[in-house]
Amino acid sequence: MESLRAPSAAAVDFDRVITQVHAVGRDVVQPAARDVDSAARFPTEAINALRELKLLSAYVPVEFGGMGLDIIQIAKICEVLGQYCGSTAMVFAMHQIQVGCIVHHGQTSNYFRRYLKDLVPQQRLIASATTEIGIGGDLRSSICAVEIDGGRFQLTKKAPVISYGAAADDILVTCRRAADAAASDQVQVLVRKEDYQLDPISGWDTLGFRGTCSCGFVLTATGASEQVLPVPFADILSQTMHPFSHIVWASLWSGIAADAVNYARSFVRAEARKNPGGPTPIAAIRLAETDTVLQLMRSNVNTAVVDYQRMLQEGNVEAFKNFGFAIRTNNLKLASSQLIIDIVGRAMLICGISSYRNDSKFSLCRHLRDAYGAALMVNNDRIMNHNATMSLVHKEA
Ligand SMILES: Cc1cc2nc3c(=O)[nH]c(=O)nc-3n(C[C@@H](O)[C@H](O)[C@H](O)COP(=O)(O)OP(=O)(O)OC[C@H]3O[C@@H](n4cnc5c(N)ncnc54)[C@H](O)[C@@H]3O)c2cc1C
């Protein structure tokens, strides 16, 4: 069986890429992060800097002109970006999920092969419209349908949340295969800015991830029928969207958590410097404890991403249907979205009131607010409910 993603044949030196991402993080992303957050504005300068590094096509295989990075490397970039700005990292991660869906499931189509080639010079930003008014976060159910007639399609979706919808160039939309199809008989359609209209229905004045600008829209689109991905959405979800999302999200949440721990470390060091040669500050013990939790969080991501990369290379599509794999992927999301709150909370205890202030150099308010979004991005209760159902029939090997 052919692999969904061949072994990494990256066209670049990955250490150099990571150095460049840190440089952009320090010089562009972090200086803008507080303004992005307080104004709830799109991180334009950050995404443009990533475009300049050609990172929006980082997962595009080398044969199409991309960097050919693998999921392990993409996850690492998400983690690094998370250390500088949660919203920027989330935009980057969500875009990569859409690229992943096209790379894994579009290559049998001339249209999508051409699209992947265009992605490299054009650095198009791809958003996602899965959630729909009337079905909440149930990914396996759609109300809207793509209607194909004479090689053209028409599509209207009421989407309560489309992250960076207004800034995107293209949007991957889940919908029913046809007007008479069942709610779960879904496809994904790539709609392009020149062919769609977004009518706003809600803003994005939220607690955290404010820079993702995840407003609600009624999306109305037309296009050519070849813009429908040639694989059922059920397969795209189990083989790509589900594992890819939870891995890149958990990676960037690790980055946010690691940054909070770095703040705590600087705070403890500053305390220790006040009393040279004195006893280790009590907060240093808290810091050591927090480090163990961060290590656990990172280890979870690492295990999941290595497992997924191996499965992609093996190309055994049956393996993705295994309940054990789905449960492990869900567990990564459940655990990471709780650990990020735990770690940021511990870092706040260490830094004390300065972390609670919005105006302090040790402020962790943004980290904490972003952290609380993690459990809601596909509601943890909904995920736990799926795990509960699967665990009734699943047997661990
Ligand atoms: C920062 C951020 C960015 C996002 N970006 C996007 C995006 O770009 N595109 C997109 O499509 N979506 C996006 N989302 C939204 C998506 O992640 C949410 O899953 C979606 O909005 C549904 O959320 P909900 O809480 O309203 O609904 P639900 O998931 O339906 O949850 C609401 C309630 O239903 C309960 N529930 C649990 N299980 C079930 C069940 N089986 N059936 C019914 N209810 C159940 C839950 O416990 C909860 O109490 C984003 C969310 C966030 C936080």
Side-chain angles (χ1 to χ4, degrees):
M1 186 158 310
E2 209 173 301
S3 61
L4 285 167
R5 189 72 164 85
S8 173
V12 290
D13 171 358
F14 187 62
D15 287 344
R16 213 174 87 104
V17 172
I18 285 297
T19 305
Q20 289 172 326
V21 176
H22 271 297
V24 162
R26 261 191 326 268
D27 302 341
V28 183
V29 182
Q30 192 171 47
R34 281 200 187 189
D35 185 56
V36 163
D37 177 66
S38 66
R41 70 163 176 87
F42 182 73
T44 309
E45 58 279 78
I47 299 304
N48 283 345
L50 297 174
R51 277 191 167 112
E52 273 173 38
L53 293 177
K54 293 272 187 273
L55 282 171
L56 297 198
S57 52
Y59 195 69
V60 172
V62 175
E63 62 185 286
F64 296 98
M67 282 184 194
L69 298 191
D70 63 25
I71 179 68
I72 299 174
Q73 294 165 324
I74 294 291
K76 180 67 195 168
I77 295 174
C78 292
E79 188 197 325
V80 171
L81 288 173
Q83 292 172 29
Y84 297 100
C85 169
S87 290
T88 300
M90 184 56 79
V91 172
F92 180 79
M94 292 180 119
H95 165 81
Q96 297 301 335
I97 299 163
Q98 314 319 311
V99 175
C101 291
I102 295 171
V103 167
H104 292 178
H105 307 286
Q107 291 191 42
T108 57
S109 142
N110 283 337
Y111 178 84
F112 283 102
R113 280 202 305 276
R114 239 181 4 254
Y115 182 82
L116 286 174
K117 277 188 189 147
D118 290 346
L119 201 54
V120 181
Q122 295 177 15
Q123 293 293 296
R124 303 174 75 87
L125 182 66
I126 317 172
S128 156
T130 53
T131 307
E132 186 172 7
I133 290 177
I135 51 152
D138 179 9
L139 296 178
R140 284 297 286 112
S141 181
S142 290
I143 296 169
C144 65
V146 61
E147 295 183 46
I148 298 176
D149 186 16
R152 302 281 301 166
F153 76 80
Q154 226 176 273
L155 173 61
T156 300
K157 178 161 187 159
K158 288 183 186 151
V161 197
I162 304 180
S163 290
Y164 54 93
D169 298 300
D170 304 303
I171 306 178
L172 263 183
V173 188
T174 50
C175 54
R176 287 181 298 128
R177 176 182 303 285
D180 57 356
S184 62
D185 184 6
Q186 297 159 290
V187 288
Q188 257 188 321
V189 184
L190 184 78
V191 301
R192 303 177 66 117
K193 200 170 196 95
E194 56 272 26
D195 298 327
Y196 64 70
Q197 190 182 320
L198 291 178
D199 294 310
I201 48 176
S202 53
W204 185 251
D205 183 4
T206 50
L207 189 66
F209 287 121
R210 292 170 56 81
T212 62
C213 301
S214 309
C215 302
F217 301 97
V218 174
L219 178 151
T220 316
T222 55
S225 53
E226 58 188 356
Q227 289 171 235
V228 180
L229 271 170
V231 172
F233 178 64
D235 295 342
I236 298 176
L237 183 64
S238 66
Q239 293 166 24
T240 302
M241 190 181 260
H242 180 230
F244 207 115
S245 302
H246 290 337
I247 285 169
V248 290
W249 290 347
S251 299
L252 79 92
W253 298 336
S254 291
I256 295 172
D259 191 47
V261 174
N262 281 340
Y263 273 71
R265 202 180 317 281
S266 309
F267 186 88
V268 173
R269 278 198 188 124
E271 289 294 295
R273 263 188 241 114
K274 284 181 196 160
N275 188 9
T280 304
I282 188 76
I285 295 173
R286 296 278 164 267
L287 178 63
E289 282 174 350
T290 310
D291 252 336
T292 66
V293 189
L294 179 63
Q295 186 178 331
L296 172 70
M297 187 177 183
R298 284 177 153 159
S299 303
N300 280 345
V301 182
N302 197 42
T303 304
V305 73
V306 167
D307 193 30
Y308 181 51
Q309 168 71 358
R310 178 188 50 76
M311 289 172 70
L312 288 176
Q313 286 176 10
E314 286 173 1
N316 175 7
V317 290
E318 289 307 305
F320 293 99
K321 295 183 184 150
N322 184 287
F323 281 173
F325 174 66
I327 291 170
R328 287 198 301 279
T329 301
N330 284 341
N331 284 344
L332 170 70
K333 196 277 183 179
L334 293 168
S336 300
S337 59
Q338 287 157 2
L339 287 172
I340 182 176
I341 296 170
D342 182 18
I343 293 169
V344 177
R346 286 167 187 262
M348 289 186 89
L349 269 183
I350 294 167
C351 298
I353 199 71
S354 20
S355 68
Y356 197 61
R357 301 180 69 105
N358 279 316
D359 59 359
S360 140
K361 72 171 183 167
F362 287 107
S363 175
L364 289 172
C365 300
R366 178 164 50 86
H367 300 69
L368 189 70
R369 290 187 287 98
D370 284 352
Y372 275 101
L376 308 180
M377 299 190 60
V378 187
N379 195 295
N380 274 8
D381 273 354
R382 185 180 281 282
I383 295 176
M384 195 65 93
N385 205 18
H386 285 310
N387 270 8
T389 309
M390 287 188 285
S391 64
L392 291 179
V393 287
H394 172 65
K395 273 198 196 130
E396 268 306 326

